Amino acid sequence: LMGMPTTTCSLTSSELQGFSELKSENTESVDSLTFVFDPAECSGENMRCSYLIGVYGQRHSRFSLTVLGDPLTSITLIEGESSFGYVGLRQENYYDFMVEDPQALSVKIQLTSLSGDADLYATRKEKGHPRFDAEHSSNHQSFIPDTITFEKNVEGNLNGIYRISVFGYTSASYSLLFTVHSSSHPVTSLELIDGQPQQGSINSTIPSEASIRYHFTLSLTSEDQRDLMIMFTTLTGRCNVYVGVNYEPSQENYTWSMGVFENNLKVSRTDPNFRLDGKYNILVVKQNPDSDTPHLFSIKYSTGTFHTNIVEGLPEIGNQTRGDITFYSCLLYTSPSPRDQRGSRMPSSA
C-alpha cells in the first residue's frame, strides 16, 4: 500500500473467502507484498497473469493502492498529497509527475525521512537515470527535510515530466510530496496524515510566500471520545500557527492559534468548534518575514486512534495530563549502515 493510509490494512485476510493468507512487510505507514513470477501459473501467448487483491479494513481507513510490475516502475505523485514509502539500504524507489501550467513559477519536491536516512534526486531529462543524471539533489541529515526547487527564472518553462529517485543512504521510511507555485492559482495545501509527522521549511523573505498551508479531514463517530491534538515542533526560527475549521485561516481570522512558544494545541470534544467530520486547515507563518534564516519545523496531528510516529533524531515535545497515556512508535533499522563509518553524516541510531 503506497500512498497515504491512516491505519494499518491487510492486503489479504483469512476472513475473506477465496484469498490466500499472505504476510505483508509492514512499516507502519506502508504495506507491501512481493509476488515471485511463476510461468507455470500464467497462460496465453504473453504469459499474462491476473491477480485479485482484497483490502481488509481493520477499522475505518484511507489508503491508495499501487501495483509495480517491475522494480524500475515509477509511482505517480499527486500534487500536495504525501506518498509514504520504504527504501532499503543502497536501494532506490522511483516516482514521477507532470506539470502542465504555463504560469508555474516554481516546483518544490520535499522528502521527509521518518526513520533512517533517504536522499532525493530529480530531473526533467527524458533519458538517463534520475539519480545519476539528476539536475538537482538533496542529501541532508535525516532530521532535516530534503528539498528540491525548480524555479522558472532559473530553469525556464517548468512544464514537463519530472522523474524522482529516492535513494536509501540507510534503510528508511519516508514521505514524499510536491507542490506547484503558480500565478494562476494559490499554493497547494499539503495533506497531513493522522500520527504521521511532516517536516517543513520556510525560506522565503517575501511576505506573501513566507508561509505554508496544511490540511486534514476527520471522519470520527459520535461514539469516539478521543480529543484532537495538533503538535508543532520548531527546529530553527519562530513561527505562528493558525487553524480554521471548514475555512482557510489567516492571521486575522482563525479558530485556534499557537504562538511561538506553544507546541501543542489540544482540542477537546466539548469545544464548540470541534467537528467530527470537519476539514481542519492550518496556516504556518514566519513571525519575522524579513529574516533570511531558514525556518525548519515538524507538524502533525493525532486523534489518539493510532500511535504517533517519532522521527529519528527529532525531539518530540509534548505535555501530559495526569492519568492520560500517550503512545508513540518509531522504526529503527539494525542493518549495516554507512553512518557507522568514520566521517559519516551522523551516528548510527541502532
Side-chain angles (χ1 to χ4, degrees):
L1 287 173
M2 307 292 290
M4 47 180 185
T6 55
T7 187
T8 300
C9 299
S10 300
L11 285 179
T12 59
S13 170
S14 57
E15 298 180 28
L16 303 177
Q17 296 182 356
F19 287 85
S20 302
E21 182 67 26
L22 296 172
K23 292 184 178 180
S24 61
E25 302 165 6
N26 179 266
T27 59
E28 198 69 34
S29 297
V30 180
D31 286 295
S32 62
L33 287 173
T34 302
F35 296 87
V36 179
F37 177 76
D38 184 357
E41 296 180 356
C42 303
S43 60
E45 290 185 7
N46 299 323
M47 302 301 292
R48 292 180 296 180
C49 291
S50 296
Y51 293 93
L52 181 62
I53 301 173
V55 179
Y56 172 70
Q58 298 176 353
R59 58 171 68 93
H60 175 79
S61 309
R62 297 181 68 239
F63 65 90
S64 69
L65 182 64
T66 304
V67 176
L68 301 178
D70 186 285
L72 298 179
T73 302
S74 295
I75 299 172
T76 300
L77 297 176
I78 300 174
E79 184 181 0
E81 297 187 2
S82 296
S83 181
F84 290 89
Y86 167 82
V87 63
L89 172 67
R90 297 298 180 187
Q91 296 180 357
E92 290 181 86
N93 291 337
Y94 302 100
Y95 299 83
D96 61 35
F97 63 88
M98 178 178 289
V99 174
E100 295 180 299
D101 184 352
Q103 295 180 297
L105 301 177
S106 65
V107 176
K108 181 179 179 180
I109 307 168
Q110 180 172 306
L111 173 73
T112 297
S113 295
L114 302 175
S115 61
D117 192 358
D119 295 333
L120 179 63
Y121 299 83
T123 183
R124 291 185 299 165
K125 298 177 182 178
E126 295 183 4
K127 297 182 179 179
H129 192 278
R131 179 163 64 94
F132 300 136
D133 300 294
E135 295 178 85
H136 298 282
S137 63
S138 178
N139 55 3
H140 292 304
Q141 297 178 359
S142 60
F143 53 84
I144 299 176
D146 287 302
T147 301
I148 288 175
T149 302
F150 290 81
E151 297 184 3
K152 184 175 183 178
N153 58 1
V154 177
E155 320 286 345
N157 192 317
L158 296 179
N159 285 349
I161 297 176
Y162 292 73
R163 298 193 296 139
I164 300 171
S165 169
V166 175
F167 177 74
Y169 186 76
T170 71
S171 299
S173 60
Y174 60 85
S175 68
L176 178 68
L177 57 82
F178 82 94
T179 57
V180 178
H181 178 214
S182 172
S183 58
S184 63
H185 62 82
V187 177
T188 304
S189 175
L190 309 182
E191 184 177 30
L192 297 177
I193 307 301
D194 196 349
Q196 300 291 341
Q198 183 65 255
Q199 289 174 262
S201 62
I202 304 176
N203 301 322
S204 177
T205 57
I206 302 174
S208 61
E209 300 177 7
S211 62
I212 298 181
R213 291 187 180 273
Y214 298 89
H215 72 273
F216 61 88
T217 302
L218 294 186
S219 183
L220 303 176
T221 64
S222 57
E223 290 78 19
D224 196 330
Q225 298 301 314
R226 298 178 177 90
D227 295 328
L228 170 65
M229 183 75 77
I230 299 175
M231 290 155 277
F232 187 86
T233 301
T234 300
L235 301 179
T236 61
R238 294 181 177 181
C239 296
N240 293 319
V241 181
Y242 305 90
V243 183
V245 183
N246 294 328
Y247 68 91
E248 290 291 345
S250 65
Q251 297 184 65
E252 295 77 28
N253 183 27
Y254 52 86
T255 307
W256 305 291
S257 67
M258 283 187 283
V260 293
F261 299 111
E262 298 176 273
N263 301 106
N264 294 322
L265 172 64
K266 184 175 183 179
V267 181
S268 171
R269 291 290 294 270
T270 59
D271 190 300
N273 293 307
F274 183 88
R275 297 292 182 270
L276 291 172
D277 56 355
K279 182 178 180 181
Y280 293 74
N281 301 287
I282 302 174
L283 173 65
V284 180
V285 182
K286 288 172 60 175
Q287 188 185 59
N288 182 8
D290 298 328
S291 172
D292 57 1
T293 301
H295 286 49
L296 303 177
F297 58 86
S298 174
I299 185 171
K300 62 185 171 184
Y301 83 95
S302 174
T303 60
T305 306
F306 319 106
H307 292 177
T308 296
N309 279 355
I310 299 176
V311 177
E312 182 180 8
L314 183 65
E316 180 71 19
I317 301 175
N319 52 40
Q320 196 75 356
T321 302
R322 182 176 181 179
D324 286 348
I325 299 176
T326 302
F327 295 96
Y328 299 90
S329 62
C330 63
L331 298 174
L332 296 178
Y333 301 101
T334 56
S335 59
S337 165
R339 294 186 300 176
D340 296 326
Q341 302 173 5
R342 180 175 298 176
S344 61
R345 290 187 291 201
M346 59 187 298
S348 176
S349 60

